[in-house]
Structures are given as structure tokens and as C-alpha cells.
Amino acid sequence: DAMVIQNPRYQVTQFGKPVTLSCSQTLNHNVMYWYQQKSSQAPKLLFHYYDKDFNNEADTPDNFQSRRPNTSFCFLDIRSPGLGDAAMYLCATSRDQDSYEQYFGPGTRLTVT
Amino acid sequence: DQQVKQNSPSLSVQEGRISILNCDYTNSMFDYFLWYKKYPAEGPTFLISISSIKDKNEDGRFTVFLNKSAKHLSLHIVPSQPGDSAVYFCAASALDSTLGRLYFGRGTQLTVWP
């Protein structure tokens, strides 16, 4: 089945220790998104790629970076995680830039100790 | 500033009855609206959508109603089933938004009890 896969599902990191979250997709979609969702809050868009074009949200901290080495994979790098970065991180894809429907992975729950 | 609002964090409904989940938005440029359903330990999954040129869209037990003048939409589930218990997110997008950008509400936890 075509899907969006996120690894790991649960990640524990230490304060200030860099961490990378992974997302892969078998849908062959052009657009990939990273969202941050904290408890009882709406998913917040961090950035997205249309093909290799990177689009950063204005309020996404510099501490968050992303890489998309190919169509299938996208990575979220948190350079120096703080306690406030503990959240669920959701990866999503959409077929093209004019597609409204997004397909989500199961998310990675990040804990910062 | 939250442009999509779901003011009820939770809703409890008896099996077989109607569930009505509400969503309000502030941006008059929004032209497409979606509902997502999320089970624990899973990502949100698309449920149903509606374009701003319509006021109703139906898919089986699920119907979404849009009231543009009130900037309000609702999701009706009838009859409700225990398997419908999940968090429901309302989302909206604007025609001129970047790359189909979605604005999400905080979600409503629906519990359907037998």
C-alpha cells in the first residue's frame, strides 16, 4: 500500500543534543510537509518542499532545518533541542502544489530530557 | 492568531445518534475546507472536504455543511458508531496560499458510547 512512513515513532533526546527525524513516502507526491503538534493544539506547519524547492514558514525557529535528498525522503533536523521542542512531529505529502488533500504519516513523538 | 477554531475540545454521543462537530474560521479568503480524523498513535487521515462554491457535501454517514456568511462549517455523522471515536480536525485552505497550505483547528475529541 502506498503510504507515508515516519521513523522513529518515538525519539528521546537530551537537551541540546541534535536529533534527526525521518519521513519517507511511496506515493510519489511532489510536496512534502513537516508539522509540529503540541498537546491539545493545532498542527503547526514548520516548512514544506515542492520538489526540491524549500519553503520555510516565517515563524519557524532557525533551530529547525530540513533536507529532501530525493522525492521519497525528507528529514527534519533539530540542531539544539530545547524542552519546548517536545512535541509530535507529523510529516505529510500532497500530490502537487494545487492539491488540497494531504496524506499524513503516523508521527514521531519527541521527548527532550 | 488561530484562523480556524474548534471551540469544543470534546463531544460525547450515544451510538446511533447524530454527532455534530463544529468549526469556525476568520479568513474570508479560505475556499476549501477539510475534515481529518485521527486515532491514537496514528496520523490524521482525510475524511471529507467541501469547496466554498458548495454548501453541502455528503459521503455515506458523513456530511459537511458550509455557511460562508457565518464563516462556519460542521460535520454531521449519522448514525454514530463506536469506531467513530477519534479526534476530528477541521482544516482550511485559501486559493492564493502557498502550496496548498492548510490551517488546522485544535481538534475535537469525539467519544461514541454504546
Side-chain angles (χ1 to χ4, degrees), chain B residues 29-40:
Chain B
M29 297 301 293
F30 287 149
D31 65 337
Y32 201 81
F33 304 88
L34 306 90
W35 284 95
Y36 280 82
K37 176 179 178 179
K38 184 182 184 302
Y39 291 118

Side-chain angles (χ1 to χ4, degrees), chain A residues 9-10 31 33 35 37 40-43 45 48-50 55 57 90 97 99-102 104-106, chain B residues 2 31-32 34 36 38 41-46 89 93-95 97-102 104-106:
Chain A
R9 296 293 307 276
Y10 300 91
V31 190
Y33 306 82
Y35 290 87
Q37 186 184 18
S40 301
Q41 294 189 19
L45 183 64
H48 54 278
Y49 276 93
Y50 173 61
N55 297 270
E57 292 296 298
L90 294 165
Q97 58 184 346
S99 303
Y100 290 107
E101 186 178 334
Q102 295 182 14
F104 284 83
Chain B
Q2 194 76 7
D31 65 337
Y32 201 81
L34 306 90
Y36 280 82
K38 184 182 184 302
E42 295 183 13
T45 56
F46 170 74
F89 290 98
S93 186
L95 183 64
S97 69
T98 304
L99 298 178
R101 190 196 193 289
L102 294 180
F104 284 89
R106 294 187 176 200

Side-chain angles (χ1 to χ4, degrees), chain A residues 18-93:
Chain A
V19 66
T20 294
L21 308 182
S22 169
C23 177
S24 64
Q25 54 125 342
T26 60
L27 298 161
N28 202 34
H29 282 176
N30 286 324
V31 190
M32 295 187 77
Y33 306 82
W34 279 105
Y35 290 87
Q36 178 193 66
Q37 186 184 18
K38 297 185 177 180
S39 180
S40 301
Q41 294 189 19
K44 177 182 180 297
L45 183 64
L46 295 173
F47 25 58
H48 54 278
Y49 276 93
Y50 173 61
D51 195 11
K52 293 187 177 181
D53 292 335
F54 177 71
N55 297 270
N56 200 33
E57 292 296 298
D59 57 354
T60 298
D62 292 339
N63 197 26
F64 291 83
Q65 303 287 322
S66 185
R67 295 170 283 136
R68 190 179 185 187
N70 53 54
T71 301
S72 301
F73 285 87
C74 195
F75 300 98
L76 170 60
D77 301 308
I78 308 176
R79 294 192 294 188
S80 182
L83 297 178
D85 296 327
M88 175 70 81
Y89 289 88
L90 294 165
C91 175
T93 72

Side-chain angles (χ1 to χ4, degrees), chain B residues 26-112:
Chain B
T26 57
N27 189 340
S28 58
M29 297 301 293
F30 287 149
D31 65 337
Y32 201 81
F33 304 88
L34 306 90
W35 284 95
Y36 280 82
K37 176 179 178 179
K38 184 182 184 302
Y39 291 118
E42 295 183 13
T45 56
F46 170 74
L47 185 60
I48 192 170
S49 62
I50 188 167
S51 165
S52 60
I53 62 173
K54 296 185 176 181
D55 55 17
K56 176 183 174 182
N57 188 27
E58 190 172 353
D59 183 2
R61 296 186 296 114
F62 302 91
T63 302
V64 57
F65 295 92
L66 176 62
N67 183 334
K68 290 187 289 294
S69 61
K71 294 191 178 67
H72 176 83
L73 66 155
S74 60
L75 174 67
H76 293 212
I77 307 173
V78 56
S80 301
Q81 299 174 355
D84 296 329
S85 297
V87 177
Y88 289 79
F89 290 98
C90 173
S93 186
L95 183 64
D96 62 351
S97 69
T98 304
L99 298 178
R101 190 196 193 289
L102 294 180
Y103 295 81
F104 284 89
R106 294 187 176 200
T108 297
Q109 171 70 57
L110 173 66
T111 302
V112 181

Side-chain angles (χ1 to χ4, degrees), chain B residues 14-27:
Chain B
Q14 188 176 23
E15 181 179 8
R17 295 191 177 268
I18 186 171
S19 296
I20 300 176
L21 297 103
N22 294 303
C23 178
D24 298 293
Y25 61 95
T26 57
N27 189 340

